[in-house]
Amino acid sequence: MRILCVMLALACVILLIWVWSQRRALHRAAQQLREVERTDSAARLRLAAPNRAAEELLDAVNVLLELRQADRASFRERERSLRRQIANVSHDLRTPLTSILGYLQLLEDEALPAAERREYLAVVASRAKALQSLITSFYDLSRLESGEYPLRREKVDLYTSLSGLLAAFYNDFTDAGFDVTVDLAQGLPGVTADPSGVLRVFTNLLRNALDHGQGQMEVRLFREGDAVVSLFRNGSGGITQEDIPHVFDRFFTADKMRTGRNTGLGLAIVKALADQMGCGLEAGLDGAFFFVRIRWKL
């Protein structure tokens, strides 16, 4: 009987020690959780004493902590991106507005000669059109990214679309000193696309080359397997290999100092339209030349 009492007492002591160690381990885990919350650290909860059920609970808590940490990191990155976008938008809107206001102030001079007045008015009109185009690009990109930009699917003749635009832009390129090479294959089959989307893509690529390229400009249109390929190739204009993964990003510009250049909305719109029309889009460097290649589905 005495031995049984001793054994029961010993069992009670062991049980009390186990309960105390478990409570202490859970208390320490709670302290760890409060510390993680206070410092917003990436530390994970650990259990000092073995307990399978409690360890499963802490594993679930750690998963939630990891998800929260990732969500906070994503939020901070979105916040930084938004601040950069606001700064870029402010810069791009401020540049033409400052110019417009400056010329309007000059136009207030009643003694201004008629020839200079006409010249200043032409500059104001040009800056106003640039501002209108920029605001339209902001709006269109927003609609494209939210899926609110209507696109039709029909047969489009890329040769007709591109040759007409090249004729309209040809003088702009030659006046800017570009050596232009055009090679458009005739008799190509039609592709499935949106006609206005095709014109917007080609216009943005030509405008991007004109604004940011230099030297030579090459435009090709040819068939490759089950697709028609359009290739735009021009002097790189300062783009590096490290820039290539970001050229289609909203507000990207290779000009790190942003000296007189606006945001890279043109190529971002090209990507959004190409994606929605199901085209294959590729950008890269070929020696000293930057190129954009699009595969249009037949």
Side-chain angles (χ1 to χ4, degrees):
M1 188 67 179
R2 179 181 295 178
I3 295 176
L4 182 59
C5 290
V6 171
M7 291 179 65
L8 286 173
L10 184 59
C12 289
V13 170
I14 294 173
L15 181 60
L16 287 172
I17 293 174
W18 182 83
V19 170
W20 174 81
S21 65
Q22 294 299 314
R23 290 186 61 182
R24 185 181 181 188
L26 291 174
H27 178 68
R28 287 182 176 177
Q31 287 181 325
Q32 293 175 38
L33 182 58
R34 286 192 291 270
E35 183 66 16
V36 167
E37 180 66 26
R38 185 183 67 83
T39 61
D40 192 27
S41 72
R44 294 297 171 257
L45 307 186
R46 297 290 182 266
L47 198 65
N51 184 318
R52 180 173 296 180
E55 288 172 356
E56 290 179 358
L57 175 62
L58 289 191
D59 286 342
V61 172
N62 284 331
V63 170
L64 292 176
L65 288 174
E66 290 173 1
L67 291 174
R68 188 188 68 167
Q69 194 75 17
D71 187 60
R72 287 184 174 179
S74 176
F75 174 78
R76 285 192 291 267
E77 178 56 34
R78 289 196 302 268
E79 192 175 33
R80 285 193 294 268
S81 176
L82 180 60
R83 285 197 295 268
R84 288 194 299 269
Q85 291 180 18
I86 291 173
N88 289 337
V89 170
S90 299
H91 175 277
D92 290 338
L93 294 178
R94 185 171 60 248
T95 300
L97 279 174
T98 301
S99 179
I100 290 171
L101 292 173
Y103 279 99
L104 286 176
Q105 188 174 7
L106 292 174
L107 287 168
E108 292 177 356
D109 185 1
E110 296 180 358
L112 188 68
E116 289 188 26
R117 187 177 298 276
R118 287 193 297 271
E119 179 184 349
Y120 294 167
L121 284 172
V123 172
V124 169
S126 174
R127 299 294 188 272
K129 288 179 181 178
L131 185 59
Q132 182 185 42
S133 175
L134 185 61
I135 293 172
T136 300
S137 295
F138 289 142
Y139 177 64
D140 288 346
L141 183 58
S142 175
R143 292 179 65 206
L144 280 165
E145 293 183 342
S146 63
E148 298 175 0
Y149 194 97
L151 292 176
R152 305 192 309 274
R153 292 290 189 276
E154 59 184 70
K155 188 175 181 180
V156 178
D157 183 352
L158 294 183
Y159 177 89
T160 301
S161 300
L162 186 52
S163 59
L165 276 177
L166 285 171
F169 273 93
Y170 190 81
N171 287 338
D172 294 326
F173 277 103
T174 54
D175 290 346
F178 281 81
D179 181 10
V180 182
T181 301
V182 177
D183 182 10
L184 308 183
Q186 299 188 38
L188 293 171
V191 301
T192 301
D194 176 82
S196 62
V198 169
L199 286 174
R200 186 67 181 274
V201 166
F202 288 159
T203 299
N204 283 12
L205 289 173
L206 291 172
R207 176 57 60 187
N208 180 76
L210 187 61
D211 291 344
H212 304 288
Q214 58 187 16
Q216 292 180 299
M217 177 65 191
E218 177 186 4
V219 181
R220 295 182 60 204
L221 191 65
F222 56 94
R223 181 167 182 174
E224 185 177 82
D226 60 349
V228 174
V229 176
S230 58
L231 177 67
F232 295 76
R233 185 172 177 268
N234 56 266
S236 61
I239 292 179
T240 66
Q241 194 62 50
E242 290 73 22
D243 293 327
I244 294 301
H246 306 290
V247 293
F248 295 114
D249 291 352
R250 180 193 288 222
F251 301 113
F252 168 80
T253 174
D255 182 4
K256 303 302 187 295
M257 299 303 294
R258 297 182 51 75
T259 50
R261 297 193 178 190
N262 61 16
T263 51
L265 290 175
L267 291 184
I269 291 175
V270 167
K271 176 171 173 51
L273 284 169
D275 288 346
Q276 290 198 28
M277 290 189 288
C279 303
L281 180 64
E282 176 191 5
L285 283 177
D286 179 13
F289 297 92
F290 170 72
F291 70 86
V292 176
R293 190 174 188 271
I294 306 177
R295 286 179 57 87
W296 305 85
K297 293 183 179 179
L298 299 180

